[in-house]
Amino acid sequence: MEPFKVHILGCGSALPTLKHFASSQVVEIREKLFMVDCGEGTQIQLRRSRIRFTKISAVFISHLHGDHCFGLMGLISSFGMLGRTAPLHVYAPAEFETMLQAQIDLFCHGLEYEVRFHAVDTTVSQVIYEDKSLTVETIPLQHRVPCCGFLFREKPTRRHIRRDMIDFYHIPISQIDNIKCGADWTTVEGDTIPNARLTTDPDPVRSYAYCSDTKYMPTLHKLIEGVNLLYHESTYDSSCANRAELFYHSTSQQAAMVARDAHVGKLLLGHYSARYDDETAILQEARAIFPHSELSQEGMSVSVL
């Protein structure tokens, strides 16, 4: 199977700490790299991760709070100094476009590549990016400012042709693609060999949902049903449930409820409040509801399976 990984660059919240960086991830899928949120310190984390970050083709910004976007301007500037020529696509709430362009004009005059801005409607679930191998959909969330998550979903691949069948029936190379697409094979004797005998099932479709800052949404699970991997903010444990409600954040228990109701494969917790020196309580409370829960940490790479 082609690589499908989530690289955690930062999983802290708004206040800087010595333990966690602000929110940022890189989604690696079929040799493509996409950034999700870009808080301060993202460039340092990219260097540490040894990700070839010049290959990042698009940045998805969930909302306009600084811990999710303050690092973007520095990244754009560095791309310019590194001689980037390929366009960089930025997907973000519409309000960001004017400010981003003003910063580019001020700090990056004469930039030799194009930054293409795509306004995102955070109130609806829709496909905002598509290529031959995947789609990216928005996930409307409820925060203090317009906010959405992002759902990365592979497109179905073709069937796998069996090497022993190629050799046995002397199938020419010119016909392999047709058979992968479902065609049968007719031998020189006129016998039809059904496709099911010539091929094996394609790789299962994989998906990853990134749910940024949001209050608990009882119906959120309907939009992310069955995803292989879910990242859901878990700023607080249950002792701070009142603060979570006040500031439109979620507890780890609430994140686990979403994961359980959506029947996801694995839950990644993140966006920890700076009040926690140890996130053990956050993890324990989540696992009591959804056992396949895990703490995200900087430097972690998680395969989507």
Side-chain angles (χ1 to χ4, degrees):
M1 297 176 68
E2 293 284 343
F4 190 171
K5 297 179 181 180
V6 177
H7 303 277
I8 306 297
L9 304 179
C11 54
S13 57
L15 287 177
T17 71
L18 296 177
K19 184 177 182 181
H20 292 302
F21 282 74
S23 293
S24 187
Q25 302 181 0
V26 169
V27 177
E28 175 187 354
I29 177 169
R30 300 190 187 180
E31 300 185 353
K32 305 181 186 75
L33 297 180
F34 304 94
M35 178 169 285
V36 184
D37 281 338
C38 189
E40 290 179 271
T42 292
Q43 293 189 77
I44 296 173
Q45 292 297 86
L46 282 169
R47 291 291 191 188
R48 287 176 174 166
S49 71
R50 301 188 181 277
I51 295 170
R52 292 184 61 189
F53 64 91
T54 53
K55 292 180 63 178
I56 292 171
S57 59
V59 180
F60 297 86
I61 301 296
S62 63
H63 65 291
L64 302 184
H65 278 165
D67 56 320
H68 294 259
C69 63
F70 277 173
L72 180 58
M73 194 59 237
L75 185 67
I76 290 173
S77 176
S78 292
F79 280 157
M81 289 187 286
L82 290 169
R84 183 186 182 108
T85 57
L88 178 68
H89 297 266
V90 176
Y91 297 79
E95 298 83 357
F96 192 38
E97 182 175 16
T98 301
M99 178 62 69
L100 179 63
Q101 189 59 54
Q103 292 182 71
I104 292 173
D105 292 342
L106 180 61
F107 297 112
C108 299
H109 181 71
L111 201 64
E112 295 182 350
Y113 71 96
E114 183 181 0
V115 178
R116 298 179 184 173
F117 186 85
H118 305 265
V120 172
D121 184 348
T122 62
T123 66
V124 296
S125 176
Q126 61 183 351
V127 174
I128 58 172
Y129 174 90
E130 183 173 12
D131 62 30
K132 65 181 181 180
S133 60
L134 79 146
T135 60
V136 181
E137 305 169 42
T138 49
I139 306 170
L141 300 174
Q142 295 182 20
H143 195 41
R144 302 191 306 276
V145 297
C147 182
C148 68
F150 303 102
L151 173 56
F152 293 78
R153 194 191 306 275
E154 286 182 310
K155 290 183 177 179
T157 57
R158 298 180 299 176
R159 298 182 65 80
H160 299 293
I161 189 167
R162 294 172 52 181
R163 178 70 200 194
D164 58 337
M165 294 292 102
I166 294 176
D167 296 338
F168 185 81
Y169 290 109
H170 305 290
I171 299 172
I173 293 175
S174 62
Q175 296 305 307
I176 289 178
D177 277 350
N178 292 335
I179 292 172
K180 286 182 176 181
C181 291
D184 298 330
W185 171 247
T186 303
T187 66
V188 294
E189 293 81 12
D191 297 325
T192 298
I193 311 303
N195 185 269
R197 185 175 175 183
L198 300 169
T199 62
T200 58
D201 290 338
D203 295 331
V205 172
R206 298 166 293 177
S207 54
Y208 168 59
Y210 173 86
C211 290
S212 183
D213 298 13
T214 183
K215 66 183 294 186
Y216 172 61
M217 298 172 59
T219 60
L220 178 58
H221 68 277
K222 297 179 181 179
L223 296 177
I224 56 174
E225 174 67 33
V227 299
N228 299 88
L229 180 65
L230 166 65
Y231 174 94
H232 192 295
E233 75 118 292
S234 49
T235 308
Y236 302 107
D237 64 10
S238 60
S239 68
C240 296
N242 289 338
R243 290 185 63 85
E245 184 174 0
L246 177 64
F247 295 110
Y248 280 64
H249 283 296
S250 296
T251 67
S252 57
Q253 287 182 335
Q254 292 169 334
M257 290 165 60
V258 173
R260 177 198 63 197
D261 295 344
H263 308 102
V264 308
K266 179 187 285 188
L267 169 64
L268 279 181
L269 305 165
H271 198 266
Y272 315 120
S273 168
R275 69 181 55 239
Y276 298 101
D277 293 323
D278 183 342
E279 293 89 24
T280 300
I282 286 176
L283 178 61
Q284 290 176 341
E285 290 190 351
R287 283 184 171 172
I289 296 172
F290 187 74
H292 301 295
S293 299
E294 187 174 349
L295 293 173
S296 58
Q297 299 290 348
E298 284 79 2
M300 174 187 290
S301 292
V302 183
S303 293
V304 180
L305 302 173

